Amino acid sequence: AAYGSVVAVGGTTLNVTYDSNSNVTGVSSDVVWNTPPGVRTDCNNNSTGGGAAGGGVASTVARPSYQSSYTRPGTANGVPAGTTSVVPDVALVADPSHASLIFEMQGTFYFGGGTSQASPMMAAMMTLINQYKGSVQGLPNSELYRQGALQYSGGPTAFRDITSGNNNIAAITGGAAAHTGYSAAVGYDAVSGWGAP
């Protein structure tokens, strides 16, 4: 996900409100997905019932130009200063404990989740954009970052900013120690990117 030739998609827990006909009427909260302990399996491959969004700063992958153009010195809410790639670029609903993640496979409906499901949702959005535009638009990252920065300098809102939550990992009994991850913030951050398109 750290390479510039992909769109990295983080995960959120989306809570919505409904009307009396079960139609979604609004978003009550959208936070970084982190179900304790923050990982799906322990060191012995036993399920923990948890999970969390990915994200962070690469140690060796060079920062792509579309991120370098929008580092914090240029905009207060842009990409943190540095020379290596930061992920994700955007975030979408991923928490599998919410029934909003229902998918169909060969006529059967399943509940799903994780960023492995958020990423195909982003691909579906790009398919709709390609259809609307009448041609394949190619890698959208430069435009995503331009729109994200524009939003914080008086431009139109392109993303629902995810400003709370983190991808910390709690200690697992008989296993790994706790690990401090990254926290959501106003604007771009290393756990939800620019937020939800």
Side-chain angles (χ1 to χ4, degrees), residues 79-137:
V79 180
T83 59
T84 58
S85 181
V86 184
V87 293
D89 301 308
V90 296
L92 287 168
V93 61
D95 187 340
S97 67
H98 283 64
S100 58
L101 294 173
I102 300 171
F103 64 97
E104 177 195 3
M105 187 166 49
Q106 298 178 342
T108 302
F109 289 90
Y110 300 90
F111 288 99
T115 53
S116 295
Q117 190 154 340
S119 294
M121 281 191 266
M122 184 65 191
M125 286 182 187
M126 287 309 304
T127 299
L128 293 172
I129 291 169
N130 291 342
Q131 183 180 27
Y132 176 78
K133 292 288 207 174
S135 65
V136 175
Q137 298 301 298

Side-chain angles (χ1 to χ4, degrees), residues 15 66 120 126 137 151 165 176:
N15 291 296
Y66 58 81
M126 287 309 304
Q137 298 301 298
Q151 177 172 324

Side-chain angles (χ1 to χ4, degrees), residues 44-56:
N44 297 315
N45 209 30
N46 298 313
S47 175
T48 65

